[in-house]
Amino acid sequence: DVKVTQSSRYLVKRTGEKVFLECVQDMDHENMFWYRQDPGLGLRLIYFSYDVKMKEKGDIPEGYSVSREKKERFSLILESASTNQTSMYLCASREGQMIHNYGYTFGSGTRLTVV
Amino acid sequence: QKEVEQDPGPLSVPEGAIVSLNCTYSNSAFQYFMWYRQYSRKGPELLMYTYSSGNKEDGRFTAQVDKSSKYISLFIRDSQPSDSATYLCAMSASSSNTGKLIFGQGTTLQVKP
């Protein structure tokens, strides 16, 4: 089974801190994604990457950046954490084109609280 | 208006009931449709997928797509307490590498023994 591993299940950070959320997948998937999940809003795409060193903005990229230096690792960076970034963050990966593989494989999520 | 609308519930049913979960959407270009199941404190997992219109059945689960009405459904027969979870619909217009999935808000289902 594909595994997507997020380094932390729970994080508490202070306003203004720089925060790194790490995600590693073990099946050589090309595509990786970062979502945040909030009650009543569902999953919203922050950034995605379809190749090493490639990145594309999603629907809500403001306040975030990403890094993909290796194929298996996709990091989400909160440059200066704010309380409105308190959320559940989900990383996902997918192999190739959707026509061949519809499904994303998600990690278990990181619940980030910014105080 | 959101591209994908899903009633958040919560929906509570007795064990053995037939459950109907629904999503509506506004983008007529969507052609890939998925249902994800998310247990508490876990990430979503793919449950069903369909391409274009029609029905797909997998055990107790049936996914339906009606593109003319821009409406998709997931039916669960003989529901079990283990089906208690949040169900998310998701859809995409593109099959390319950069095709994005758009998710509904999720419906929380509780199946009572």
Side-chain angles (χ1 to χ4, degrees), chain A residues 9-10 30-31 33 35 37 40-43 45 48 50 56-59 88 90 94 96-99 102-104 106-109, chain B residues 2 8 32 34 36 38 41-46 49-51 56 86 88 92 94-106:
Chain A
R9 291 299 305 274
Y10 300 95
E30 297 164 0
N31 306 295
F33 307 82
Y35 286 85
Q37 184 175 28
L41 297 177
L43 274 73
L45 182 63
F48 65 102
Y50 52 90
E56 294 280 344
K57 292 181 180 179
D59 299 316
M88 169 70 86
L90 289 162
R94 190 189 77 220
Q97 295 186 5
M98 190 173 297
I99 194 169
Y102 298 120
Y104 289 13
F106 282 88
S108 293
Chain B
K2 293 179 180 174
Y32 300 93
M34 276 143 268
Y36 284 80
Q38 185 177 21
R41 293 186 291 277
K42 296 284 189 181
E45 57 178 344
L46 181 66
Y49 63 83
T50 51
Y51 170 67
K56 186 169 185 176
T86 296
L88 299 134
S92 176
S94 171
S95 64
S96 75
N97 278 14
T98 55
K100 295 189 297 183
L101 270 184
I102 309 298
F103 285 84
Q105 299 94 314

Side-chain angles (χ1 to χ4, degrees), chain A residues 1-107:
Chain A
D1 282 349
V2 177
K3 284 196 175 167
V4 176
T5 303
Q6 294 183 233
S7 54
S8 304
R9 291 299 305 274
Y10 300 95
L11 277 179
V12 179
K13 296 292 182 181
R14 296 193 181 278
T15 302
E17 278 194 75
K18 191 169 186 176
V19 181
F20 293 85
L21 302 183
E22 305 289 343
C23 176
V24 176
Q25 51 97 359
D26 66 359
M27 283 298 289
D28 204 34
H29 282 181
E30 297 164 0
N31 306 295
M32 297 188 74
F33 307 82
W34 275 106
Y35 286 85
R36 61 177 285 176
Q37 184 175 28
D38 300 288
L41 297 177
L43 274 73
R44 293 179 292 165
L45 182 63
I46 305 171
Y47 267 97
F48 65 102
S49 168
Y50 52 90
D51 203 350
V52 176
K53 296 192 186 294
M54 304 299 288
K55 59 184 179 183
E56 294 280 344
K57 292 181 180 179
D59 299 316
I60 51 165
E62 296 78 17
Y64 303 94
S65 62
V66 290
S67 172
R68 193 163 181 206
E69 296 296 320
K70 294 184 178 181
K71 193 174 185 179
E72 67 270 19
R73 186 179 297 271
F74 192 35
S75 302
L76 180 69
I77 304 155
L78 286 66
E79 298 290 344
S80 178
S82 64
T83 55
N84 63 13
Q85 291 178 312
T86 292
S87 186
M88 169 70 86
Y89 289 87
L90 289 162
C91 176
S93 72
R94 190 189 77 220
E95 179 182 1
Q97 295 186 5
M98 190 173 297
I99 194 169
H100 300 302
N101 183 344
Y102 298 120
Y104 289 13
T105 300
F106 282 88

Side-chain angles (χ1 to χ4, degrees), chain B residues 4-82:
Chain B
V4 179
E5 296 277 1
Q6 185 176 4
D7 186 341
L11 182 62
S12 182
V13 301
E15 184 175 354
I18 296 174
V19 176
S20 172
L21 304 169
N22 310 296
C23 288
T24 59
Y25 62 93
S26 58
N27 187 348
S28 58
F30 286 148
Q31 51 183 338
Y32 300 93
F33 303 93
M34 276 143 268
W35 286 94
Y36 284 80
R37 178 176 60 196
Q38 185 177 21
Y39 291 116
S40 180
R41 293 186 291 277
K42 296 284 189 181
E45 57 178 344
L46 181 66
L47 189 60
M48 299 279 287
Y49 63 83
T50 51
Y51 170 67
S52 194
S53 285
N55 294 0
K56 186 169 185 176
E57 189 172 320
D58 183 2
R60 297 184 295 109
F61 298 89
T62 300
Q64 287 186 351
V65 175
D66 182 349
K67 290 187 74 178
S68 62
S69 301
K70 298 191 182 70
Y71 188 89
I72 70 170
S73 300
L74 177 71
F75 296 96
I76 307 174
R77 291 184 298 280
D78 188 24
S79 56
Q80 303 295 309
S82 58

